[in-house]
C-alpha cells in the first residue's frame, strides 16, 4: 500500500523533479532562479506544434489546451534534448480554473514551477509563466501570501498569456486584478505577453514594466 501511494504521488506531482530545489512560502512552491541575463524571444511557438517553427529561433510556450502538453508534465525528462533545440522555453501554463478547488489551483502552480525548475537545472533558458486563478491565489488576504507568485525572483523576466483567458467579463476582471498584483509583487523588468493586450486590461499599466507582445500562433500565421 505504501509503495503504491508513493508512486501515485510522484507520478501526479513529479516530486522527483524537485529533489534539489529550494521552496518558497508555506506551500513550498519550487523556486526557479532568474536567468543571468534577459533574453527576448524572437517569437513563441506552442509546444504541440513546435516543429512548425522552421528556424527553431522561437521560445517554446504552453499557451494551449492542457491536454496538448500533458506528456511533458508526466515525462519531463524525455523532452530535455528536444527542447534544447530552441533558445528557451516558457514554463507550462497549467490551467487555473476559477471554479476549481483552491488545492487544485495551487497544485497547478506547483507543477508549473516543478517542470520549469527541472528544465533550468538541465541547462535550458527558462522564463516563468505566471498564471493566477481566483483572488485567493493572487491576494494575501486569504492565505497570508500570494501563492501565484511564489517560486519566482523579482526584477527579472516573466511571461503571461491572454490567449483564451479573457473571454468573459468575470475573467477579464480577475485577469486585470491579478496582473496588477503580479506587477506589484514581482516588479518584473520584462513581461512577455502571448495574445491580445486590450486596453481595458492593460491600460494604465504600461509604465510599470516593459511589455512585449506576441501574437497567438494562428494570428501569426495569418499575418505572414
Amino acid at each position: 500500500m505504501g509503495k503504491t501511494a508513493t508512486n501515485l504521488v510522484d507520478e501526479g506531482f513529479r516530486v522527483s523533479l524537485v529533489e534539489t530545489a529550494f521552496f518558497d512560502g508555506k506551500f513550498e512552491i519550487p523556486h526557479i532562479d532568474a536567468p543571468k541575463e534577459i533574453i527576448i524571444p524572437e517569437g513563441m511557438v506552442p509546444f504541440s506544434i513546435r516543429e512548425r517553427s522552421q528556424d527553431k529561433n522561437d521560445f517554446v510556450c504552453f499557451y494551449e489546451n492542457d491536454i496538448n502538453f500533458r506528456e511533458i508534465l508526466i515525462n519531463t525528462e524525455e523532452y530535455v534534448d528536444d527542447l534544447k533545440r530552441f533558445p528557451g522555453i516558457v514554463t507550462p501554463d497549467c490551467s487555473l480554473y476559477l471554479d476549481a478547488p483552491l488545492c487544485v489551483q495551487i497544485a497547478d502552480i506547483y507543477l508549473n514551477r516543478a517542470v520549469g525548475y527541472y528544465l533550468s537545472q538541465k541547462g535550458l533558458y527558462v522564463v516563468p509563466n505566471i498564471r493566477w486563478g481566483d483572488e485567493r491565489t493572487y491576494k494575501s488576504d486569504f492565505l497570508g501570501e500570494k501563492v501565484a507568485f511564489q517560486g519566482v525572483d523579482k526584477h527579472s523576466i516573466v511571461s503571461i498569456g491572454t490567449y483564451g483567458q479573457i473571454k468573459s467579463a468575470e475573467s477579464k476582471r480577475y485577469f486585470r486584478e491579478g496582473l496588477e498584483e503580479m506587477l506589484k509583487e514581482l516588479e518584473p523588468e520584462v513581461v512577455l505577453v502571448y495574445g491580445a493586450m486590450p486596453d481595458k486590461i492593460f491600460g494604465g499599466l504600461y509604465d510599470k514594466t516593459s511589455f512585449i507582445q506576441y501574437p497567438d500562433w494562428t494570428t501569426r500565421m495569418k499575418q505572414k
Side-chain angles (χ1 to χ4, degrees):
M1 178 68 74
K3 184 176 180 181
T4 301
T6 300
N7 288 342
L8 286 173
V9 169
D10 187 49
E11 288 171 6
F13 292 96
R14 302 309 326 278
V15 295
S16 61
L17 299 180
V18 295
E19 290 177 346
T20 60
F22 289 98
F23 300 93
D24 289 347
K26 63 177 66 175
F27 295 100
E28 298 188 353
I29 302 299
H31 187 91
I32 303 173
D33 288 337
K36 293 181 180 178
E37 62 175 320
I38 291 178
I39 298 175
I40 305 301
E42 291 186 14
M44 288 198 201
V45 59
F47 173 77
S48 67
I49 55 172
R50 61 194 179 282
E51 294 306 323
R52 298 186 191 178
S53 176
Q54 296 181 356
D55 53 13
K56 301 300 183 288
N57 285 332
D58 294 311
F59 274 36
V60 175
C61 68
F62 298 84
Y63 298 117
E64 55 182 330
N65 193 303
D66 296 49
I67 194 66
N68 292 337
F69 57 83
R70 178 176 180 271
E71 280 301 311
I72 197 170
L73 302 180
I74 299 172
N75 299 303
T76 312
E77 300 89 339
E78 297 179 11
Y79 288 92
V80 172
D81 290 338
D82 180 73
L83 292 174
K84 280 186 175 179
R85 296 179 298 152
F86 299 84
I89 71 152
V90 175
T91 60
D93 187 48
C94 304
S95 294
L96 273 68
Y97 297 107
L98 295 175
D99 58 353
L102 180 58
C103 62
V104 175
Q105 297 185 50
I106 295 172
D108 284 336
I109 294 168
Y110 165 86
L111 283 172
N112 169 315
R113 307 292 195 271
V115 172
Y117 169 78
Y118 179 82
L119 294 177
S120 71
Q121 294 303 296
K122 294 299 179 180
L124 279 77
Y125 187 91
V126 173
V127 175
N129 171 61
I130 310 299
R131 171 75 87 92
W132 47 92
D134 63 39
E135 63 270 9
R136 295 173 296 176
T137 66
Y138 60 76
K139 291 185 177 180
S140 58
D141 310 40
F142 303 90
L143 300 174
E145 63 185 38
K146 302 174 183 179
V147 65
F149 315 130
Q150 296 285 3
V152 178
D153 282 331
K154 292 186 175 184
H155 309 129
S156 188
I157 180 173
V158 298
S159 183
I160 59 175
T162 63
Y163 182 62
Q165 303 305 315
I166 52 174
K167 294 180 178 179
S168 68
E170 181 185 42
S171 62
K172 287 182 174 70
R173 178 176 69 82
Y174 279 117
F175 199 98
R176 168 71 186 210
E177 288 182 0
L179 178 59
E180 290 177 347
E181 293 296 328
M182 187 272 283
L183 294 173
K184 292 177 186 176
E185 186 74 11
L186 297 181
E187 300 177 349
E189 289 189 25
V190 175
V191 177
L192 311 178
V193 182
Y194 184 87
M197 292 182 63
D199 193 62
K200 187 172 183 179
I201 292 176
F202 289 85
L205 300 177
Y206 294 104
D207 62 341
K208 306 297 183 183
T209 187
S210 175
F211 289 105
I212 301 178
Q213 183 182 16
Y214 297 85
D216 66 82
W217 188 262
T218 301
T219 301
R220 178 179 171 182
M221 292 300 99
K222 289 180 180 179
Q223 292 173 346
K224 282 193 172 183

